[in-house]
Every structure is written in C-alpha cells, then in structure tokens.
Amino acid sequence: MDSQRNILLIALLFVSFLLFQQWNMDNSPQTQQGIEQQVNNSGDVPSHTGDGQPITDQTTSDNLITINTDVLALTVDTLGGDIIEAKLLAYNNELDSVDPFVLLKNGADYQYTAQSGLIGTNGIDTTAGRAQLSVDSDSFTLADGQDELRVPMTYEKNGIAYTKTFIMKRGSYAVDVEYSINNQSDNAASVQMYAQLKQNLVDAGGNLAMPTYHGGAYSADDTKYKKYSFDDMQDKNLNLTINNQGWAAMMQHYFVSAWIPNTQGATNLYTRTGNGLGYIGIRMPAATVAPGAEQTLGATLWVGPKLQDQMEATAPNLNLTVDYGWLWFIASPLHTLLSFIQGIVVNWGVAIIILTFIVRGAMYPLTKAQYTSMAKMRMLQPKLQAMRERLGDDRQRMSQEMMELYKKEKVNPLGGCLPILVQMPIFIALYWSLMESVELRHTPFFGWIHDLSAQDPYFILPVLMGVTMFMIQKMSPTTVTDPMQQKIMTFMPVMFTFFFLWFPSGLVLYWLVSNIVTLIQQTLIYRSLEKKGLHSK
C-alpha cells in the first residue's frame, strides 16, 4: 500500500462517516403533523390526576414582563408564569447583526417555550386554566454591581398563598424557578410541580457537511445522556422515573434548554405530542403542606449555549449535550486542549493551527513508521514480481514464500495500513470537537474569514486544501500503473475540493494545516530514507 492509497483510504473513510451520519437523518421517519395522538386533548399542562394526560391548551396573555441580566433577556407571561422568549445577549442572531440570538420564542408560526406550574389537588394550573400571577413591575433588570436578581410573582386561593420566584445570577444561563406554598387554610394542601419544554415538531436539521441534531434529550438514573427525537416522541411517549439526578432537554446546534428538578424523590420524566407540538418535561413528587406550614418546590432551567464547564456545574451529565458521538473520549480532551490554547493565543483560528501541529506531531512516529514500511515494501517489489512469475497460480506457495521474505527482510506488510487506522478516530474526533464548539460560532480568524463556523465565502481555504492534497500525491512515490487507478487518484483532490466548499471554514482550516504538516513530514522522512537507500520511486 503506497501513500496515495493511504490518502484515498482516509478520504473514503471520512466521507463514508459523513454519509452515514446524513443517511441516519434522511431515513428516519418524517414528522407527521397529522399523526393520531396518544393523548385526549393537546395542551400545555400535565393533568392534575398524575396520569400524564394533558388538559386544554393555553394561549399567552397580553400581561407580559421582561427580566434582564448581563447575558439573558427573558419575556415571561404572567398567565402561568411561562418563559415565552429568551434572548442570549452575548450571541448575535446573524454574523455582524446587532440583534441577539433568540433561543425561546412564541411566534405565530413557531413556538419554543419553557413552561412550569403547580398541579394536584390544590394546584393553581387546572383544566379550567392557568393562574393569573401578580407582579410589582413589568420590567426587572440586574443592576451594576448586583450578583443576583429575584423576581417574585404571587397568587392566592382558598387561604393558600403561592409565590413563584425567578432567580437569576450574573453571567449565568441557569434560571432557578421556585414555588413557595404558604398554607394558611385549615386543611392540608397537596401540590405537584411540573416543568416542561414545548416546541414545534421540526426536522432533525443539518446537512452532509454539518449533520447536527435538533430534538429532545434526557438524563436519568441509568442513562447519563440519551437523545429522544421528535419522531421518537410521536412513536411512543417517554415515561421514566428519576430517583437521583436527571434532566429533560431540547437541543439544537450550539444551544440547549433543559429543566433540572431541585426536589428530592421520584420524579417523572415524560414526553408527548399534540397539534404539531412536542413536549418533554419533568413532574416532581407531590408535596403535602400542613395547615400553617410553608414549603418550597423548585427546578432549574438552563437556557443558553453549550458551555461545557457551566453546564457540568449546573447538573450532572448536562455537558454531554455537547454531542461528540461515540468518540467523545477523544473529542472531549481535544476540545479542552483547544480551549487551553485559545486562552493563550486568543484567536480560535490560530488555536486550531497549533492544535493541528500538536496532534500531527504526536502521531509523527506512526507516520514515520508508515512511510518507512511503504519504502521497504517498494524495495521488495522486484523480488515479489519475480516470485509471481516463477510460481504462477500457486497461491498457497506464493503466500508462504511471501511471508518468509517479509520475515527475512523484517518488513511488516500491514505497517502502512495500521497507522492510518489509528489516525482515523483522531481525525473524526477532531471533526466533531470543532463542529460542536459554540465558541467558534461567528468567531473571526484573519482577513476574509469572519466566521469559523461558516463556509469560506470566497472558497479560498477549500482550494488551498485541494492544492496541498494534489502536492501530497505528486510527492508520494507510487507503484500504481493502471491508467484507471491513476485517473481516480488524480481526480481525488478535485472531488474533495468540491466537497469541502460547504464545510465550516474552521474544519477546512484544520484539514489544510494537516495537509501542510503532512508535506513537511513527508519531506523530512523521505530525505532520511534516501540517505538509508530505502526511498525509491
């Protein structure tokens, strides 16, 4: 196996990997808006009976308030106290846009909201409707020098005072939602808190170059992290019990929202669909508040970018929503290393270049062994050809004498293949690490590259990548004599240049630098082999 075939193997494995990812998306059952529902009526609030069935859907009211911190701008409907809009102030909607990215929204054609309430015998969210909460102001802002903002909303019914409080901290995308139940009635009060995310049933999203996921996910006692797509929700309602730690989330590329229960005990994790909407949420254990007593129930809503350190500090396994696939154990350390480098050099593009040199440098012994093995195999070609002519079709004897020759010359026939197989997981892990990094979103490099997460607007990087791939081919000695194979090898750089036109520029930058490192390593290794008399074209 020569180096050109190795390049072809890497290329085909990489493309096959991407095609497989896209095939999984394209061949999953499509969203069916008219699917027969497994519920009685579509709605926003789990039934107070505790059987998971929804009640009448609730529309938003005109009584809205805004809550602003340094990183979040929330719009809350006082009818029930749902978060119907969440703007991420540190992330712009589009490149060079002054408008912030809107994660949660409640439009006429698209809904994605975070709901929470109290159900049960003395719950304030019933089949008759949601509670109209009272609040002192219609606007709340975290002041300069203030680290925490608390926004209480109140409601009274039958001698019971309910206070729903939003608690937000500076620099944090975690929103604590607490319900305080002060029972001044003569009877015990039974309530149960629920929290859920509601979103239109949408396609999984992504494309061949960026096969991203858009849908539900959860964590439970025996499952650290599992996706539960909108198609899964329509096929079967999720119904699990969380006794320890867990959460329910809606994911998309770079961003996630998730409800995490703060109340101890058996918590129900559920999904359902209705009227073209998908729901995933948690229903916490029922609480009994004695007459004259007060009790607090709560949950935390993460609504923001996929920042691994902050998410891990918010809830166990929430950082796994940064989905590195089955090579997470390689991709995660690579992302940590990339972030460390960026902290020193500041520029993420420069960090990618340095990371590429580090990774390829670490693999240099394998690369050297690969080219050395290939050179030795080429030196044996005349002897192998003579052996074929002498033995003809006697394959068994041919195999025996070949193995004896390899042993005598101390040549491993697989020496040129194994390094490639070792490198491929690292290539794929780097691909996922770069693709899942929200830090690269709308991040400039130099010159014409204003967004490392978007394709090169002038296709300069893909063209340079194709040129370096062609140079690697020309530098590599080959024993290929078949004209068709030669044409295929010559066409490979053209095909991959076309393919990489739609790749995010950060990924193309990595591949380009990797090719440049390969050229440097090839030059050094071949010069060393020539001195030993092993390099022969």
Side-chain angles (χ1 to χ4, degrees), residues 35-96:
I35 190 171
E36 181 180 355
Q37 303 300 324
Q38 302 298 318
V39 294
N40 297 332
N41 302 294
S42 69
D44 286 352
V45 185
S47 170
H48 64 278
T49 62
D51 59 5
Q53 302 301 319
I55 61 175
T56 307
D57 194 12
Q58 299 294 321
T59 58
T60 57
S61 70
D62 296 329
N63 299 318
L64 307 178
I65 66 170
T66 59
I67 307 175
N68 300 292
T69 70
D70 57 326
V71 296
L72 285 174
L74 305 182
T75 300
V76 178
D77 188 350
T78 58
L79 182 63
D82 296 335
I83 301 175
I84 63 172
E85 185 178 78
K87 296 179 180 179
L88 311 186
L89 303 180
Y91 296 84
N92 50 2
N93 189 44
E94 300 290 344
L95 182 64
D96 298 327

Side-chain angles (χ1 to χ4, degrees), residues 296-353:
T296 299
L297 308 176
T300 297
L301 172 68
W302 174 274
V303 53
K306 295 179 180 179
L307 301 176
Q308 298 183 56
D309 292 342
Q310 290 192 32
M311 289 193 297
E312 187 175 13
T314 301
N317 306 316
L318 187 59
N319 61 307
L320 297 182
T321 55
V322 181
D323 195 349
Y324 293 135
W326 59 280
L327 289 172
W328 59 269
F329 56 92
I330 300 177
S332 183
L334 287 176
H335 179 272
T336 301
L337 178 58
L338 179 66
S339 299
F340 174 77
I341 297 171
Q342 191 275 337
I344 298 175
V345 301
V346 180
N347 188 294
W348 281 99
V350 175
I352 291 174
I353 293 174

Side-chain angles (χ1 to χ4, degrees), residues 280-416:
I280 186 168
I282 52 176
R283 186 167 47 247
M284 284 164 273
T288 301
V289 185
E294 184 175 0
Q295 187 167 340
T296 299
L297 308 176
T300 297
L301 172 68
W302 174 274
V303 53
K306 295 179 180 179
L307 301 176
Q308 298 183 56
D309 292 342
Q310 290 192 32
M311 289 193 297
E312 187 175 13
T314 301
N317 306 316
L318 187 59
N319 61 307
L320 297 182
T321 55
V322 181
D323 195 349
Y324 293 135
W326 59 280
L327 289 172
W328 59 269
F329 56 92
I330 300 177
S332 183
L334 287 176
H335 179 272
T336 301
L337 178 58
L338 179 66
S339 299
F340 174 77
I341 297 171
Q342 191 275 337
I344 298 175
V345 301
V346 180
N347 188 294
W348 281 99
V350 175
I352 291 174
I353 293 174
I354 295 175
L355 177 66
T356 308
F357 272 90
I358 292 175
V359 172
R360 292 308 304 270
M363 293 191 297
Y364 179 76
L366 288 176
T367 304
K368 185 176 181 180
Q370 169 191 345
Y371 286 121
T372 301
S373 177
M374 288 160 43
K376 290 182 178 180
M377 287 295 295
R378 280 192 295 271
M379 295 295 293
L380 293 180
Q381 288 303 313
K383 294 183 180 180
L384 292 174
Q385 183 61 32
M387 189 182 300
R388 293 188 186 97
E389 294 175 357
R390 177 169 53 86
L391 298 177
D393 296 332
D394 191 344
R395 295 185 178 181
Q396 182 176 358
R397 188 177 176 186
M398 178 70 183
S399 177
Q400 292 176 347
E401 293 196 14
M402 283 177 61
M403 294 306 297
E404 291 176 359
L405 179 62
Y406 291 150
K407 184 177 181 180
K408 177 182 178 182
E409 300 292 340
K410 298 180 179 180
V411 173
N412 181 2
L414 298 179

Side-chain angles (χ1 to χ4, degrees), residues 75-369:
T75 300
V76 178
D77 188 350
T78 58
L79 182 63
D82 296 335
I83 301 175
I84 63 172
E85 185 178 78
K87 296 179 180 179
L88 311 186
L89 303 180
Y91 296 84
N92 50 2
N93 189 44
E94 300 290 344
L95 182 64
D96 298 327
S97 171
V98 297
D99 299 323
F101 179 78
V102 182
L103 180 56
L104 303 182
K105 60 185 69 176
N106 189 53
D109 56 345
Y110 179 71
Q111 297 182 58
Y112 182 11
T113 59
Q115 303 173 313
S116 57
L118 292 178
I119 54 177
T121 305
N122 300 102
I124 56 178
D125 298 296
T126 68
T127 54
R130 309 290 300 280
Q132 180 62 60
L133 305 176
S134 299
V135 63
D136 293 338
S137 175
D138 59 2
S139 179
F140 299 84
T141 301
L142 184 70
D144 293 339
Q146 185 181 4
D147 292 329
E148 182 180 278
L149 177 64
R150 301 178 71 93
V151 180
M153 309 172 72
T154 61
Y155 183 77
E156 291 190 15
K157 179 182 179 181
N158 299 330
I160 304 174
Y162 304 86
T163 303
K164 182 175 187 176
T165 305
F166 291 91
I167 306 170
M168 304 174 66
K169 295 180 174 61
R170 181 172 297 278
S172 177
Y173 294 95
V175 181
D176 291 326
V177 179
E178 291 184 354
Y179 273 97
S180 176
I181 303 98
N182 187 349
N183 185 11
Q184 296 303 316
S185 69
D186 296 330
N187 302 310
S190 177
V191 295
Q192 188 175 21
M193 182 178 177
Y194 77 93
Q196 65 184 15
L197 298 161
K198 176 180 74 172
Q199 186 176 179
N200 287 89
L201 298 171
V202 297
D203 293 333
N207 51 56
L208 182 59
M210 296 283 284
T212 58
Y213 175 75
H214 194 147
Y218 68 90
S219 178
D221 293 348
D222 299 327
T223 305
K224 289 185 177 181
Y225 163 72
K226 185 175 180 62
K227 296 176 183 176
Y228 207 77
S229 69
F230 293 122
D231 293 324
D232 293 331
M233 295 180 193
Q234 292 180 101
D235 291 339
K236 182 180 180 181
N237 287 332
L238 188 65
N239 185 16
L240 299 175
T241 298
I242 303 173
N243 292 306
N244 297 312
Q245 298 287 344
W247 42 261
M250 291 279 193
M251 294 169 48
Q252 62 193 68
H253 195 204
Y254 297 136
F255 303 101
V256 64
S257 58
W259 279 111
I260 306 110
N262 295 336
T263 304
Q264 298 296 320
T267 296
N268 176 240
L269 193 153
Y270 63 89
T271 66
R272 57 188 175 83
T273 57
N275 286 353
L277 297 168
Y279 302 77
I280 186 168
I282 52 176
R283 186 167 47 247
M284 284 164 273
T288 301
V289 185
E294 184 175 0
Q295 187 167 340
T296 299
L297 308 176
T300 297
L301 172 68
W302 174 274
V303 53
K306 295 179 180 179
L307 301 176
Q308 298 183 56
D309 292 342
Q310 290 192 32
M311 289 193 297
E312 187 175 13
T314 301
N317 306 316
L318 187 59
N319 61 307
L320 297 182
T321 55
V322 181
D323 195 349
Y324 293 135
W326 59 280
L327 289 172
W328 59 269
F329 56 92
I330 300 177
S332 183
L334 287 176
H335 179 272
T336 301
L337 178 58
L338 179 66
S339 299
F340 174 77
I341 297 171
Q342 191 275 337
I344 298 175
V345 301
V346 180
N347 188 294
W348 281 99
V350 175
I352 291 174
I353 293 174
I354 295 175
L355 177 66
T356 308
F357 272 90
I358 292 175
V359 172
R360 292 308 304 270
M363 293 191 297
Y364 179 76
L366 288 176
T367 304
K368 185 176 181 180

